[in-house]
Amino acid sequence: MTTTSPERSPTPSAPDPRANEAFGQPSTWRSRFDRPLVRLGGFAFALVLALVVGGSVGAVVTPTPVPAPASPPRTPGSTGAQPLPAGGAPGAAADVSGLAVSQDGYTLDVSATPAPAGSPGELAFRILGPGGTPVTAFTPTHDKPLHLIVVRRDQSGFQHLHPVMDPDGTWRTTTSLAPGDHRVFADFAPDGRSEAMTLGRDIAVAGAYNPIPLPPPSTVATTSDGYTVTLTGALVPGTASPVTLSVSRDGVPVTDLQPYLAAYGHLVVLRTGDLAYLHVHPTGTPGDGRTAAGPAIEFMAEVPSAGSYRLYLDFAHQGVVRTAEFTVVAAAASGTPAGPPSDHGESSAPHGH
Ligand SMILES: [Cu+2]
């Protein structure tokens, strides 16, 4: 006896007419059941059966509701990025930024990207305010009304630019980008707002994209024209810790660094995986009577979580701004270095304005 299993039939309660055929006596059965009372009785029986069977099946397949994971409370006035994950280091107060294209009503609106890849072209954008109109008044931070950072998602091709604003609020700069998805960070303080903010947005550059693995962790970076920068100090999740970058040229410490953006150095740090962008401020400023023009440039860096970060130091010497890059791994709170992440080859970190 086959074809009578309840799950195959459209509705398990109704008698399956094909059952009659299965027994080979369609006609006599039909006349015997053709009386109104009998059909009514049959219908009632079927209904009861349906209720009983339905009830028991429902109990089996209705998924037990799994409570939704509690979304971490958002910090009022936070920089629009996700607060630190629960696993973040205790006491980690570092705010991440640059993860949101829009925050507190301000939106980074990119209207033109340079193309084709590798050729100079215009990068244009506006900061739209809470009312949707372009913001045209900015309070300068570190000597500039707006700082634009552009980096490829594999963290190569770092650029720190200072676009110029048209009266209508359109910012423009000319640059060239390699093929691949890039992240654009706009760091600014709209007039009337007490603190600066950083918005981030992806832009795509057409072309063959061959991601470059991130260099392994190192405390020494060199530039193509003979500068060496040495990093001392560590990134400790949840704790502001000193990071010192010492500049030398052809083995000789550089002691006549020039101010750049109101400091002797400018540090951008991006976190691996999400390119979270954190503010890192230099200690001491040129002309304060206690900060030397090198060779050491000191920063207090606070990263929110363990893992890899990419550091980009801009410094100026003899009229030229150069960038030295480092991969640094922030040790887990236990103090044992986490070592390069298993997905070694990727990394990132925050910005120092
Ligand atoms: Cu800048």
Side-chain angles (χ1 to χ4, degrees):
M1 184 161 71
T2 57
T3 67
T4 57
S5 55
E7 61 274 2
R8 288 181 53 76
S9 64
T11 56
S13 58
D16 183 342
R18 286 164 298 165
N20 299 339
E21 267 74 22
F23 294 111
Q25 305 157 351
S27 59
T28 48
W29 276 94
R30 203 165 279 131
S31 58
R32 208 167 288 147
F33 282 102
D34 218 359
R35 296 196 211 113
L37 264 183
V38 173
R39 258 190 286 146
L40 192 61
F43 181 70
F45 174 71
L47 193 59
V48 170
L49 190 64
L51 288 173
V52 172
V53 173
S56 54
V57 170
V60 173
V61 294
T62 312
T64 348
V66 179
S71 58
R74 294 189 59 76
T75 323
S78 83
T79 59
Q82 288 306 315
L84 294 175
D95 239 352
V96 292
S97 57
L99 293 176
V101 70
S102 190
Q103 178 222 324
D104 299 342
Y106 292 92
T107 300
L108 172 56
D109 175 47
V110 173
S111 52
T113 55
S119 304
E122 184 171 78
L123 176 53
F125 62 94
R126 300 175 305 169
I127 304 293
L128 302 178
T133 52
V135 176
T136 55
F138 297 81
T139 308
T141 59
H142 293 275
D143 277 7
K144 297 287 180 185
L146 184 140
H147 302 265
L148 195 74
I149 304 292
V150 184
V151 69
R152 204 165 70 169
R153 293 218 68 115
D154 64 355
Q155 302 183 280
S156 67
F158 171 86
Q159 297 190 51
H160 181 171
L161 308 167
H162 298 111
V164 177
M165 189 187 76
D166 295 348
D168 69 355
T170 303
W171 292 88
R172 301 178 194 280
T173 185
T174 298
T175 186
S176 66
L177 299 175
D181 288 345
H182 287 66
R183 186 82 178 160
V184 174
F185 300 95
D187 186 325
F188 59 95
D191 261 8
R193 190 184 153 91
S194 57
E195 54 182 21
M197 57 195 299
T198 304
L199 299 177
R201 182 181 201 118
D202 283 348
I203 58 171
V205 179
Y209 174 37
N210 301 309
I212 301 169
L214 191 79
S218 169
T219 57
V220 178
T222 55
T223 66
S224 53
D225 53 357
Y227 287 81
T228 300
V229 182
T230 307
L231 181 151
T232 50
L235 295 178
V236 182
T239 306
S241 56
V243 170
T244 302
L245 296 148
S246 301
V247 183
S248 63
R249 185 176 193 187
D250 303 329
V252 180
V254 171
T255 56
D256 54 345
L257 288 172
Q258 294 165 308
Y260 174 57
L261 302 176
Y264 283 124
H266 188 273
L267 190 60
V268 171
V269 182
L270 299 175
R271 182 170 63 184
T272 295
D274 63 0
L275 299 190
Y277 174 104
L278 292 140
H279 295 277
V280 185
H281 294 281
T283 53
T285 50
D288 64 4
R290 58 185 173 81
T291 305
I297 314 166
E298 284 187 13
F299 296 88
M300 287 304 286
E302 184 172 343
V303 295
S305 53
S308 290
Y309 293 82
R310 187 73 174 160
L311 277 63
Y312 307 85
L313 173 75
D314 294 333
F315 63 94
H317 189 236
Q318 296 182 347
V320 176
V321 176
R322 295 171 179 81
T323 303
E325 299 184 17
F326 303 82
T327 299
V328 176
V329 175
S334 61
T336 49
S342 56
D343 55 357
H344 180 57
E346 290 185 26
S347 172
S348 63
H351 177 196
H353 273 302

